[in-house]
Amino acid sequence: MGYAEVSVNSPVAQRRTFSYAIPPGLSVDVGQAVWVPFGDKLLQGIVLELTPSPSVEETREIVGVIEPHPILSPSQVLLARWISEHYLSPLFDAVALMLPPGFERRAVTFIGSTPREYDVSSLTPEQRYALELVQSQGKVTLGKLEKALGKKRAQTIVSQLVGRGLAGRSYEVEPIKVRPKTVPYLNLAVTADEAQQEAARLHEKRAIKQAALLSFLAEQSKSVPLAEARQRANCDKAVADALVNKGLVTVQQIEVRREPISYQGITPSYPLTLSTAQESAFKAIQSSLLQVAKGHTSSAVFLLHGVTGSGKTEVYLQVLAEAVKLGKRGIVLVPEIALTPQTIERFASRFPHKVAVLHSKLSLGEQFDEWQRIRNGEFDVVIGSRSAIFAPQPDLGLIVIDEEHEWTYKQPDTPRYHARDVAIKLAELTGALVILGSATPDVETFYHAQKGDYHLLQLPERVTPGDGSLPLVEVVDLRDELKAGNRSIFSRSLSEAIAKAVVNRQQVILFLNRRGGATFVQCRNCGLVLRCRRCEVTLTHHLAEDVLVCHQCNYTMPVPQICPRCLSRRIKFLGIGTQKLEQEASFTFPQANLLRWDRDVTKRRYSHDKILSKFRAHEADILIGTQMIAKGLDLPLVTLVGVVSADTGLNLPDFRAGERTFQLLSQVAGRAGRGILGGQVIIQTYSPEHYAIQAAAKHDYALFYDKEIDYRRRLHNPPFTRLVSLVYTHTNDALCQREAERMKRLLIEEIDSQGIADLSVIGPAPAFIHRLRGRFRWQLILRGSELSAFLSQIPIPQGWAVDIDPVGLV
Ligand code: ADP
Ligand code: ZN
Ligand code: ZN
């Protein structure tokens, strides 16, 4: 008898598998979904391994398979194990990342009869009733018997019947809630001539609308979707119903495919002639693809470092086409925000009908359809945000991660994986290549490229029209403005430049990485700053609704008329957010049309696309926004980008604050001068000498990297070590602190007793966000090299959140 190690869908299963015996006659494969008994329940599980002997003495049997074919590929099985071990997440949580949408369904128990002679008089009336019901229908659900006989009785009777060999149980997964999508079509039930005659009669009887619809249908050669017919004949459904009732028309439900990309209006595009730099990047990856195909080398990672507009995407497209020629397929990851029609269109037009898109906004039905079709090998390219790395793409040959430095690639909840690291692992397991693309690579990625772990490919220049040069950046010292008596949000330089651009019918982007109006509200009498009662974060004033909002937990309160502490009326709004900026800009530049783009707008009024197309159509002169506007958008009329305050992220207590600021400023600066008009960037700051700001102003990644890597080395931060953030959350602050201290002692004891030299514990300290939604948070940071292996031996109670390789420490 064979055995299977199964990852079971139960919270108590944690990071381990369970041994089950494979009953005779059942064939089970690695990656297959099965029903297994677990305690007194029947649960779903995924087979991760087949073994000749069980890992425990007593095993139970697998009850049945859920699907005839494996759901996870062998590489995905290994990947799930790696995720669970590396990120210390429950095994089934890691497995679940790769399951089809809507998979986690309940088992339905069916009762069937067995052909066997029996003496009817030996059955009780209830038993006879149940058995006859089962016999008459072939099989019925246990639920149906429970309804008829009561839950307890039904279960007892079924057990008795099964015990006597008269009935048997079988299990099926609950039917999926996703139904095929159907659309009603209208057909003529009579000939076209008859329909025209009838239409004429209806017309005489003044049933004008019915006549029009019938006449329209008579002119069509095939059936017409109801929606189209209604539109063309300008009538509502009741009119169609009337024709149906008269027996002139029939309605037929026709199944249509849900297609998340509309290929309407997308024309095929063809490979461009590559620039010299693009060509050499392309050649390097192409030759690696060939080597892998011949089995000469295994996977490899490329860092494609090139400023925005340097032609990275064109390289992705052409390399993907090469992979396809070799019988391979690709996955392309983009930050969520970049899943705009623009990006999708570029891939869809190069690979018509061969691109799958995985959006978080797709309905469950669409996700399910897309998943099935990907698994069937219908697409050359799967494009999506971080979770698309788990798409069941067969013959994986290439993984592209665009904007690889983006933090959205890190999953905030368990399993707290980083899609980039997962991609590199998956490539290693499948022999695929990875391309990491960025204008401002993550410092750790660049370090690996420098060391030779990754192949560094550079596209130093823009290929866009114009002179190809990057915009000029001016750094304005806001302290000088104050000295000169300018108290406005806009420095003299910036306001002159805005006025000039608007007069010349050019467009301006103003960037401020803070939403809302005033960013804090203070009593000028006693100094009290209003904070969220649950998070201790300062409350931000939102102008349109005139309320105070906590940006941490969304707690909202009206603006107090008097100070809650000293009862003074001198409540002042200080600091600026995008709403306030919009207001100031409308005072200062009354002739300009403004448009704001931040989470508050996209949540309520417009989608990203709407805002973008409005701005593109020049319906506004100035676009005001948060970091949303910093992403890869092509806006040729933008000649000026103003960074209203470069300092918002600089002072956070995180060793990545400098990197973050540099990335954001570089991206924002990359927005200007995409067209032939050229461009200019003005950065306002109180710390103009900071290396992140200096380097961004000079478009000089190397300048930034050299300084940054030097700090990282001296302060012993990644990539020279690894980190884990352990955060304990509790409603009681003192208890929270005590638990953090207890954990620290435990960790140190373990480190000492195992004699691990390179492991150290920092903290505990109140987390940067000390209080969130009414709960306190204390943080420990663990620094060292073999963190997952070490922590996997430590019992970590409920209430702790463990983040391996965190992207932010605040
Ligand atoms: P990135 O991804 O680095 O921002 P893109 O690939 O989007 O750069 O290229 C920027 C613009 O230049 C796009 O409009 C693209 O079509 C165009 N482009 C890219 N490569 C070439 C090329 N070799 N010849 C002409 N135009 C190109
Ligand atoms: Zn006060
Ligand atoms: Zn709050």
Side-chain angles (χ1 to χ4, degrees):
M1 191 186 256
Y3 297 86
E5 288 296 317
V6 178
S7 168
V8 180
N9 184 7
S10 160
V12 303
Q14 286 301 321
R15 293 201 294 276
R16 54 168 296 206
T17 55
F18 293 83
S19 284
Y20 286 92
I22 303 171
L26 191 71
S27 123
V28 167
D29 252 329
V30 167
Q32 198 155 13
V34 290
W35 292 118
V36 289
F38 195 81
D40 58 356
K41 289 203 191 81
L42 189 68
L43 297 181
Q44 291 169 316
I46 303 290
V47 175
L48 298 193
E49 201 182 342
L50 297 176
T51 53
S53 54
S55 53
V56 288
E57 253 167 52
E58 294 271 309
T59 56
R60 297 164 80 180
E61 284 188 352
I62 290 178
V63 169
V65 298
I66 299 177
E67 278 205 1
H69 304 291
I71 293 186
L72 267 58
S73 70
S75 309
Q76 286 183 312
V77 165
L78 295 174
L79 188 67
R81 282 212 191 255
W82 178 80
I83 289 173
S84 169
E85 277 159 26
H86 184 76
Y87 295 103
L88 300 174
S89 79
L91 189 52
F92 197 85
D93 287 357
V95 165
L97 295 167
M98 300 166 211
L99 297 175
F103 175 82
E104 289 182 52
R105 287 168 280 147
R106 283 187 310 124
V108 179
T109 309
F110 281 91
I111 314 301
S113 63
T114 26
R116 164 185 284 232
E117 294 292 314
Y118 63 92
D119 176 8
V120 177
S121 66
S122 72
L123 297 178
T124 68
E126 276 177 326
Q127 287 173 342
R128 198 182 321 158
Y129 169 79
L131 191 58
E132 275 166 10
L133 189 66
V134 170
Q135 282 168 339
S136 68
Q137 317 225 336
K139 63 178 183 184
V140 300
T141 62
L142 178 60
K144 191 161 182 180
L145 291 176
E146 286 176 350
K147 250 198 208 122
L149 300 166
K151 199 171 166 137
K152 270 265 135 46
R153 283 305 295 155
Q155 288 176 2
T156 313
I157 288 162
V158 166
S159 293
Q160 291 163 348
L161 292 174
V162 171
R164 290 184 55 179
L166 297 174
R169 294 188 184 92
S170 65
Y171 304 92
E172 283 173 33
V173 66
E174 195 178 38
I176 186 145
K177 291 176 200 89
V178 187
R179 300 249 169 261
K181 185 179 173 187
T182 59
V183 167
Y185 273 67
L186 298 183
N187 285 314
L188 279 187
V190 294
T191 66
D193 285 345
E194 287 166 347
Q196 291 293 19
Q197 288 162 16
E198 190 57 37
R201 268 195 290 279
L202 284 167
H203 201 91
E204 275 168 27
K205 283 198 253 164
R206 306 207 147 254
I208 312 288
K209 295 227 153 172
Q210 290 180 36
L213 178 59
L214 190 58
S215 168
F216 166 74
L217 291 173
E219 286 158 15
Q220 309 306 312
S221 54
K222 51 183 198 280
S223 51
V224 184
L226 172 63
E228 187 188 329
R230 281 177 48 189
Q231 201 185 10
R232 298 280 295 273
N234 189 23
C235 64
D236 53 26
K237 187 168 171 294
V239 176
D241 288 344
L243 294 179
V244 170
N245 288 336
K246 293 192 170 108
L248 297 164
V249 168
T250 56
V251 182
Q252 192 185 2
Q253 294 290 333
I254 293 188
E255 189 176 333
V256 292
R257 214 179 77 193
R258 296 181 175 92
E259 188 155 52
I261 313 181
S262 159
Y263 282 90
Q264 258 175 11
I266 295 186
T267 48
S269 77
Y270 301 95
L272 302 166
T273 312
L274 296 177
S275 70
T276 320
Q278 282 176 316
E279 181 75 19
S280 64
F282 170 79
K283 281 265 154 67
I285 303 167
Q286 184 194 36
S287 98
S288 197
L289 273 172
L290 284 169
Q291 295 294 321
V292 176
K294 286 186 198 147
H296 291 179
T297 47
S298 52
S299 75
V301 181
F302 293 88
L303 170 58
L304 187 57
H305 176 207
V307 292
T308 342
S310 61
K312 295 186 294 293
T313 309
E314 184 61 32
V315 173
Y316 305 152
L317 290 167
Q318 298 202 16
V319 177
L320 280 163
E322 285 304 301
V324 171
K325 272 193 218 156
L326 293 167
K328 297 286 185 178
R329 300 164 201 281
I331 294 179
V332 177
L333 301 187
V334 293
E336 181 75 40
I337 189 76
L339 272 171
T340 54
Q342 264 185 308
T343 317
I344 292 165
E345 219 179 287
R346 288 189 68 182
F347 285 86
S349 63
R350 195 65 63 85
F351 300 92
H353 302 282
K354 287 290 192 180
V355 177
V357 181
L358 297 175
H359 256 279
S360 61
K361 290 204 188 81
L362 297 184
S363 69
L364 186 62
E366 287 169 330
Q367 288 177 32
F368 181 77
D369 284 2
E370 217 54 350
W371 193 95
Q372 295 291 353
R373 298 179 62 211
I374 293 167
R375 181 158 77 149
N376 294 340
E378 290 184 34
F379 300 105
D380 292 336
V381 182
V382 173
I383 168 165
S385 48
R386 65 173 176 259
S387 59
I389 193 64
F390 302 112
Q393 180 75 311
D395 315 309
L396 190 60
L398 193 63
I399 304 170
V400 174
I401 306 185
D402 193 28
E403 312 279 352
E404 64 87 29
H405 62 276
E406 280 292 333
W407 288 14
T408 50
Y409 286 125
K410 176 88 171 166
Q411 165 113 327
D413 307 309
T414 185
R416 296 185 171 82
Y417 67 87
H418 198 300
R420 183 182 57 219
D421 299 324
V422 171
I424 291 172
K425 188 74 199 171
L426 180 61
E428 204 181 294
L429 293 167
T430 54
L433 300 185
V434 179
I435 306 178
L436 307 175
S438 176
T440 53
D442 189 293
V443 168
E444 290 166 61
T445 302
F446 201 77
Y447 175 75
H448 286 300
Q450 292 265 295
K451 260 182 45 186
D453 301 339
Y454 305 161
H455 304 278
L456 182 59
L457 305 171
Q458 286 183 300
L459 303 179
E461 276 161 15
R462 283 184 167 185
V463 289
T464 27
D467 60 1
S469 60
L470 289 158
L472 268 180
V473 180
E474 182 188 343
V475 177
V476 175
D477 187 341
L478 287 175
R479 293 168 302 191
D480 292 344
E481 294 297 309
L482 282 182
K483 274 185 221 145
N486 176 15
R487 306 201 145 267
S488 149
I489 290 179
F490 304 107
S491 62
R492 291 159 295 176
S493 223
L494 184 56
S495 77
E496 266 168 40
I498 295 173
K500 200 166 133 221
V502 172
V503 166
N504 291 333
R505 299 285 300 143
Q506 293 163 357
Q507 289 182 299
V508 177
I509 289 179
L510 292 179
F511 171 78
L512 180 64
N513 209 10
R514 251 185 333 217
R515 292 181 291 131
T519 46
F520 61 104
V521 181
Q522 190 175 33
C523 167
R524 275 301 167 90
N525 191 41
C526 73
L528 176 80
V529 172
L530 293 171
R531 290 171 192 278
C532 174
R533 259 182 288 164
R534 303 192 290 174
C535 309
E536 291 179 2
V537 173
T538 60
L539 293 167
T540 297
H541 182 229
H542 282 225
L543 292 165
E545 308 85 1
D546 194 27
V547 289
L548 301 181
V549 179
C550 166
H551 280 192
Q552 210 59 245
C553 73
N554 223 20
Y555 166 81
T556 304
M557 66 174 269
V559 180
Q561 296 305 305
I562 51 170
C563 169
R565 184 157 74 192
C566 75
L567 307 182
S568 152
R569 291 188 167 273
R570 295 179 59 209
I571 307 277
K572 273 281 185 194
F573 299 94
L574 301 160
I576 54 163
T578 41
Q579 290 185 3
K580 177 83 185 227
L581 175 58
E582 183 183 25
Q583 200 180 53
E584 293 282 318
S586 73
F587 290 144
T588 318
F589 311 103
Q591 72 282 23
N593 286 320
L594 307 180
L595 189 62
R596 201 175 87 232
W597 188 1
D598 57 31
R599 198 138 48 87
D600 296 317
V601 180
T602 52
K603 229 173 23 195
R604 291 201 198 96
R605 265 179 287 162
Y606 303 120
S607 66
H608 298 295
D609 310 338
K610 261 263 186 53
I611 297 173
L612 202 55
S613 56
K614 270 169 100 93
F615 192 57
R616 194 181 288 280
H618 209 154
E619 281 175 40
D621 306 295
I622 305 179
L623 178 67
I624 290 168
T626 55
Q627 69 191 66
M628 284 185 175
I629 63 172
K631 313 294 169 182
L633 313 167
D634 248 317
L635 297 164
L637 278 179
V638 172
T639 55
L640 172 67
V641 173
V643 177
V644 178
S645 167
D647 306 331
T648 46
L650 217 46
N651 303 320
L652 293 176
D654 186 331
F655 73 93
R656 288 196 178 90
E659 176 173 20
R660 197 77 192 120
T661 300
F662 173 77
Q663 287 166 348
L664 265 178
L665 292 180
S666 301
Q667 269 179 19
V668 175
R671 292 300 95 224
R674 295 293 302 253
I676 43 172
L677 299 170
Q680 178 193 10
V681 178
I682 296 175
I683 296 177
Q684 307 192 132
T685 172
Y686 284 100
S687 28
E689 65 294 332
H690 194 286
Y691 66 97
I693 291 174
Q694 286 288 324
K698 295 189 181 121
H699 305 286
D700 192 341
Y701 182 80
L703 176 68
F704 160 74
Y705 176 79
D706 290 345
K707 265 272 180 350
E708 183 69 26
I709 202 75
D710 198 42
Y711 282 121
R712 301 279 182 98
R713 189 179 286 115
R714 275 193 278 147
L715 299 172
H716 202 52
N717 276 323
F720 301 99
T721 185
R722 309 186 70 156
L723 300 176
V724 180
S725 148
L726 296 122
V727 173
Y728 188 74
T729 305
H730 199 277
T731 47
N732 180 328
D733 197 22
L735 194 148
C736 200
Q737 179 176 4
R738 273 203 305 280
E739 169 60 16
E741 278 160 1
R742 184 197 69 83
M743 181 59 85
K744 176 176 186 166
R745 280 193 304 275
L746 177 69
L747 292 172
I748 288 184
E749 264 168 41
E750 255 331 287
I751 291 169
D752 289 347
S753 79
Q754 297 185 28
I756 308 173
D758 85 330
L759 261 177
S760 59
V761 187
I762 306 161
F768 177 69
I769 300 163
H770 180 202
R771 205 171 163 203
L772 184 62
R773 296 186 179 90
R775 298 170 74 87
F776 292 90
R777 305 167 78 242
W778 279 72
Q779 186 177 41
L780 283 172
I781 292 167
L782 196 57
R783 206 202 293 256
S785 50
E786 296 293 325
L787 299 170
S788 308
F790 171 75
L791 276 178
S792 69
Q793 325 151 36
I794 310 281
I796 298 174
Q798 285 263 313
W800 282 98
V802 180
D803 190 356
I804 309 275
D805 307 330
V807 286
L809 290 181
V810 299

